[in-house]
Amino acid sequence: CSVALLEGGAVVAARHEEIGRGHAEWLIPMVAELLDGARPDSILVDVGPGSFTGVRVGLAAARAFALAWECRVDGVGADALVARAAFAVAAAPGRILVLLDALRGEVFAREWDRDGPTGQTIALAPEAASEAAARVGAAAGNGLALLPFLPAWTDARAPDARAARLLRPGDRVTAIPLYIRAPDAKPQA
C-alpha cells in the first residue's frame, strides 16, 4: 500500500508499506496521515494490473476523494511506476521487462524501453517469464522473486507512489481498472 504527496514534481511526503492483504483498512488512514488536512488539486491512482480487490479499493477511494475535493483523478499502470523508477537507476539498460507478482504463481509481464511500453501486459508462468527476461536482458519488479533464474540486470522493487514524480505525460491513463485475468470470485448457482 503506497501513497505519496507531490508538489511541483517533488515528493513532499510518502508512505509505502508491504502489507499483503488489507488495502481497504490501510489506504484511507495512510492518505489522511499523509495529507494532514491538506487538500490536493489532483489524484493519481494505480489502475493495475494487480489484485482484483486491491485495484478496486484504490480506484473507489480515489474517485471518492476526487468527488469530495472536487479535483481530477487520473490513472497510472503499476508497471509504469516500476519502469520509471528502474530507468532512474544510473546503471539501468535502455530496455527492461517489468514483472509484477500476479499471485497464483504467475507474474504480469510487460516490456518497456525509455520511451514507454513496447507491448501489452500478459500473465506468465515464472519459467516463461524467466525466458522472456533473459531475451530482454533486464527485468524489474516484485515478480522477480518468483523467477527460477534471473537476467543479467535486475531491480526488484514493488510499485511505489513516490515514482509518480518520474512519470512522463504519456504514462497517465484513464482511471479505469486494468484486469489481465478474470476475478477469482464466481457467481453462485
Side-chain angles (χ1 to χ4, degrees), residues 79-98 110-119 136 138 140 153 155 157 166-171:
D79 61 313
L81 294 170
V82 171
R84 293 302 177 205
F87 285 131
V89 175
R95 201 170 69 133
I96 60 171
L97 184 67
V98 174
R110 188 174 196 186
E111 192 173 329
W112 280 72
D113 65 23
R114 292 184 182 277
D115 292 330
T118 61
V136 173
W153 188 89
D155 183 29
R157 71 179 71 223
L166 304 169
L167 295 174
R168 295 182 179 180
D171 295 334

Side-chain angles (χ1 to χ4, degrees), residues 166-184:
L166 304 169
L167 295 174
R168 295 182 179 180
D171 295 334
R172 292 175 186 267
V173 297
T174 304
I176 57 172
L178 172 61
Y179 298 128
I180 306 303
R181 298 185 303 219
D184 292 333

Side-chain angles (χ1 to χ4, degrees), residues 83-175:
R84 293 302 177 205
F87 285 131
V89 175
R95 201 170 69 133
I96 60 171
L97 184 67
V98 174
L99 300 168
L100 301 172
D101 187 347
L103 307 175
R104 295 191 265 167
E106 291 183 317
V107 295
F108 294 125
R110 188 174 196 186
E111 192 173 329
W112 280 72
D113 65 23
R114 292 184 182 277
D115 292 330
T118 61
Q120 298 299 314
T121 304
I122 58 173
L124 294 174
E127 296 78 19
S130 280
E131 292 168 9
R135 279 193 306 278
V136 173
N142 61 359
L144 287 168
L146 300 173
L147 291 144
F149 59 91
L150 299 174
W153 188 89
T154 62
D155 183 29
R157 71 179 71 223
D160 189 329
R162 291 173 287 198
R165 75 187 188 289
L166 304 169
L167 295 174
R168 295 182 179 180
D171 295 334
R172 292 175 186 267
V173 297
T174 304

